Amino acid sequence: MSALGTRGTDQEAAPVFTREARVFGLSPERWAGILAPLAVGVVILGGWEALVRLRNIPDYLFPGPVVIIRTLVTDWGTLSGALLITLRITFAALIAAVSLGVVLAILFTQSKWLERSLFPYAVILQVTPVVAIAPLIIILVGDVNLSLLICAWLVAFFPILSNTILGLNSADHNLIALFQLYGASRWQTLRFLKLPAALPYFLGGLKISGGLALIGAVVAEFVAGSGGSASGLAYRILESGYQLKIPRMFAALLMISMTGIAIFLATSWLSHRLLHRWHESALKREI
Amino acid sequence: MLADAKPDGRAGLRPLVSVRGLSKKFSNGTLALRDVDLDLFPGEFVSLLGPSGCGKSTLLKLISGLSEPSSGAVEWPGAEEHGAQKWEPVLRNTMRENKESEHGFDSIKTKRALGADAYGRPEHALGFVFQEPTLMPWATSLENVTLPLRLKSMAKSEAEARAAGMLALVGLKGFEKSYPRELSGGMKMRVSIARALVTEPKVLLMDEPFAALDEITRHKLNDDVLMLWQRNQFTAVFVTHSVFESVYLSERIVVMAARPGRVMSTLTVDAPFPRDDVFRTSAAYARLCQLGSEALKEAINA
């Protein structure tokens, strides 16, 4: 069979991928993206420390960054234990939100009636402030850890559900027609078409839910206010406030922020790994 | 050379697909097609030519079973020969499942053995090329072309070997691992054609596949489609609004008119194959295009 020629036609129009210069394994653009916010951070922290020192503001009113870091190191034993507890609840809630959100989204897109009957209740769960229902949940459930988990799950669940539903419904209509033409089963259509089409939307939801699970866990801990050795970062903040250990309060807050950033980076990295070969959101636009 | 009549020489032949009194009314009340009769004979190249809104794409969807007629029928006489009945549109999932339980598993099995799928449609009968390439962006060219075979539960290694062969045939050897976004518009269309042909269908339905491409690429792809048609000997139904394209490609042009969509006339193009640039620049081609344009003008003013 004579192969079809390619001269003067579309193959010549295939895009050319260029390699750009790299500094220590990263492109100059990536370095700028890292260095610019870092510079802003250094300026702000420096100004903060200078302000505290020049004005002689006492630590129990407003500690400077250096004192906060020092407290973080000295109190690491208590704080890291608390962090571990908060992390455990956050990730358990996130896993529950992902599995239940995806399963429900699949069920909803398979049956319009199921979606119509249940989706309004998912919305009610979402719009009710977790602070308002947390005491109720704690009373009803009894077990503190389980109550915290439920609260964090409530907050993290909805973005996954609604985004995945949107994604499952956004498969190309002509591709759906093509699957019908080849007599694909519901399972095949789900597996080969709808789930891959939903992936970018699901990952968008996961990015939001990762942060929300942490917020949900912290808020629920505040409401529960349970003391003892098995308490999370939020309780350490409350406790430090009562004891006027303000630097420790800031240190705990710093840990929560850092955890949030780590979760965001992890979900962003996952999203990039899964989408960078094909999805528009992960592509660089050449102008 | 050009006749306003039924295809001659095929009178005794049994059509592969037979469209009888087909009408389609959309839910908004538009009569997209009225009383269309059309026979598709084994191995012929037919173009559906007409202004936009004449229902040529609708007709293609009805033939493929993606859409259901309001009245009339699409019959596969060839399939009946093998013991299968008039085939049910693919869309009616629930009805299909009911049917299965009624007939029981055994009757389905016997029909399968006779070269038709469980629903009376001849196996691997259809290929469809859409206006857009309609590729899965998350899958490589090879995975895209493998899809129809995988949906038919073919073993992965065999499916991939066939898909790779099909990609080579449409001139995309070496692009198996490329994702659709890495390909140009014409190359994406080639992947789409390879996917439609990988099941070796008896009928290839093409819905204005090259409308969005530049002229050079379009000419190249027209030649390629003709080459593939001659090689694989499928029946080609090509929807277009270009007189030049329809004359270059087809043996028979079905001219359609709009509001309501209907068949106006049938033109036979009996220039010999293979056709190439010599034919494209010949006086005969120019004259055929002129006749085609007149028929189209008539259809527009009708």
Side-chain angles (χ1 to χ4, degrees):
Chain A
M1 194 60 238
S2 70
L4 303 168
T6 60
R7 299 155 304 279
T9 60
D10 39 80
Q11 284 197 14
E12 290 192 346
V16 179
F17 294 92
T18 53
R19 290 221 161 267
E20 47 192 357
R22 276 165 184 267
V23 184
F24 295 116
L26 291 176
S27 67
E29 206 179 312
R30 286 287 295 279
W31 274 114
I34 293 168
L35 292 176
L38 209 63
V40 173
V42 167
V43 168
I44 288 176
L45 290 178
W48 178 358
E49 185 68 33
L51 182 83
V52 169
R53 289 193 179 212
L54 292 174
R55 291 264 182 130
N56 273 325
I57 300 173
D59 286 347
Y60 58 83
L61 277 182
F62 191 60
V66 173
V67 177
I68 293 170
I69 298 292
R70 202 183 297 139
T71 314
L72 190 63
V73 174
T74 50
D75 290 359
W76 180 253
T78 354
L79 286 177
S80 64
L83 173 69
L84 216 64
I85 286 157
T86 303
L87 275 182
R88 207 176 292 152
I89 289 165
T90 303
F91 281 110
L94 192 58
I95 289 165
V98 167
S99 33
L100 259 152
V102 171
V103 168
L104 273 182
I106 290 171
L107 286 178
F108 282 8
T109 45
Q110 295 293 314
S111 154
K112 267 274 160 265
W113 278 111
L114 205 61
E115 182 178 1
R116 274 182 210 157
S117 357
L118 291 182
F119 196 73
Y121 296 99
V123 176
I124 290 174
L125 284 182
Q126 164 68 11
V127 295
T128 312
V130 72
V131 198
I133 33 173
L136 208 69
I137 291 169
I138 291 164
I139 292 168
L140 288 177
V141 176
D143 181 60
V144 177
N145 276 327
L146 187 61
S147 323
L148 296 184
L149 179 65
I150 292 173
C151 290
W153 169 78
L154 273 181
V155 190
F157 162 73
F158 193 76
I160 303 253
L161 176 73
S162 72
N163 271 32
T164 311
I165 288 176
L166 181 67
L168 289 169
N169 287 330
S170 70
D172 186 319
H173 283 199
N174 279 336
L175 273 173
I176 292 173
L178 191 83
F179 273 67
Q180 280 169 346
L181 204 63
Y182 289 116
S185 64
R186 273 185 171 209
W187 164 245
Q188 284 176 321
T189 311
L190 182 69
R191 164 73 186 75
F192 294 115
L193 177 59
K194 295 202 168 165
L195 284 179
L199 187 63
Y201 296 83
F202 163 75
L203 289 167
L206 183 67
K207 249 190 220 182
I208 300 168
S209 288
L212 283 182
L214 179 66
I215 292 173
V218 170
V219 168
E221 276 177 19
F222 265 116
V223 177
S226 63
S229 56
S231 50
L233 279 176
Y235 182 72
R236 292 289 160 221
I237 290 179
L238 279 178
E239 185 192 54
S240 311
Y242 297 144
Q243 299 169 353
L244 282 181
K245 289 181 179 164
I246 307 302
R248 188 200 255 203
M249 208 171 154
F250 271 89
L253 190 61
L254 179 68
M255 284 177 103
I256 292 175
S257 302
M258 287 299 157
T259 309
I261 291 169
I263 291 173
F264 176 79
L265 288 177
T267 48
S268 301
W269 174 83
L270 184 71
S271 177
H272 182 79
R273 285 300 320 156
L274 293 175
L275 301 182
H276 76 289
R277 288 302 306 262
W278 65 275
H279 197 253
E280 300 295 333
S281 68
L283 300 182
K284 237 177 60 186
R285 207 164 135 259
E286 292 288 342
I287 308 168
Chain B
M1 239 186 155
L2 202 70
D4 217 343
K6 293 259 163 197
D8 39 338
R10 285 208 166 90
L13 242 142
R14 193 160 188 172
L16 185 64
V17 182
S18 188
V19 173
R20 288 280 159 266
L22 205 64
S23 296
K24 175 75 183 177
K25 198 174 197 166
F26 289 133
S27 49
N28 64 8
T30 315
L31 191 57
L33 280 180
R34 193 186 66 194
D35 211 17
V36 172
D37 288 306
L38 180 68
D39 281 333
L40 300 173
F41 293 93
E44 73 169 334
F45 203 120
V46 181
S47 285
L48 305 179
L49 174 69
S52 51
C54 73
K56 42 197 197 306
S57 295
T58 307
L59 179 54
L60 215 57
K61 283 220 168 73
L62 287 166
I63 294 173
S64 72
L66 285 172
S67 165
E68 283 182 76
S70 307
S71 63
V74 177
E75 285 160 18
W76 291 70
E80 256 168 62
E81 236 163 58
H82 293 291
Q85 296 122 0
K86 189 175 83 181
W87 73 280
E88 293 294 319
V90 204
L91 269 178
R92 275 186 277 174
N93 263 325
T94 43
M95 283 194 63
R96 238 205 271 159
E97 276 151 24
N98 293 341
K99 270 231 167 77
E100 269 179 26
S101 51
E102 266 170 46
H103 290 309
F105 189 63
D106 282 352
S107 69
I108 295 163
K109 228 177 171 178
T110 29
K111 270 196 238 160
R112 277 248 163 94
L114 289 165
D117 65 15
Y119 322 117
R121 188 168 49 131
E123 260 208 279
H124 305 327
L126 277 170
F128 204 113
V129 179
F130 296 90
Q131 285 177 15
E132 302 290 321
T134 319
L135 302 174
M136 302 181 291
W138 54 83
T140 61
S141 323
L142 188 69
E143 286 162 355
N144 266 294
V145 178
T146 312
L147 177 78
L149 301 174
R150 298 288 287 156
L151 291 179
K152 302 263 179 212
S153 311
M154 184 185 276
K156 197 178 178 194
S157 54
E158 193 192 344
E160 282 186 348
R162 282 206 204 182
M166 206 59 231
L167 275 173
L169 198 61
V170 297
L172 286 179
K173 199 173 174 56
F175 288 90
E176 291 86 355
K177 295 240 149 45
S178 302
Y179 284 79
R181 69 166 181 97
E182 297 165 345
L183 303 174
S184 67
M187 292 164 93
K188 278 186 234 178
M189 216 18 129
R190 282 168 197 273
V191 177
S192 191
I193 292 170
R195 180 181 60 192
L197 289 177
V198 78
T199 55
E200 293 178 0
K202 289 198 175 65
V203 180
L204 179 65
L205 306 172
M206 289 171 278
D207 188 4
E208 297 188 43
F210 311 139
L213 301 176
D214 64 273
E215 186 152 316
I216 302 166
T217 308
R218 185 203 275 235
H219 282 178
K220 190 82 185 67
L221 278 164
N222 282 342
D223 287 340
D224 294 347
V225 162
L226 279 184
M227 184 280 286
L228 292 164
W229 171 68
Q230 283 185 298
R231 180 187 180 273
N232 288 19
Q233 303 191 328
F234 48 81
T235 303
V237 185
F238 193 97
V239 167
T240 179
H241 51 239
S242 159
V243 175
F244 307 100
E245 202 173 29
S246 64
V247 170
Y248 185 72
L249 290 173
S250 35
E251 295 174 284
R252 195 149 64 94
I253 303 171
V254 176
V255 184
M256 295 178 71
R259 281 171 293 275
R262 59 202 189 276
V263 173
M264 281 295 288
S265 54
T266 305
L267 311 173
T268 307
V269 184
D270 59 1
F273 291 92
R275 296 175 183 171
D276 51 20
D277 282 344
V278 178
F279 174 60
R280 213 194 286 277
T281 49
S282 69
Y285 175 71
R287 212 172 59 78
L288 285 164
C289 286
Q290 197 193 336
L291 288 168
S293 300
E294 276 161 22
L296 183 60
K297 208 175 285 170
E298 222 172 275
I300 290 168
N301 295 329

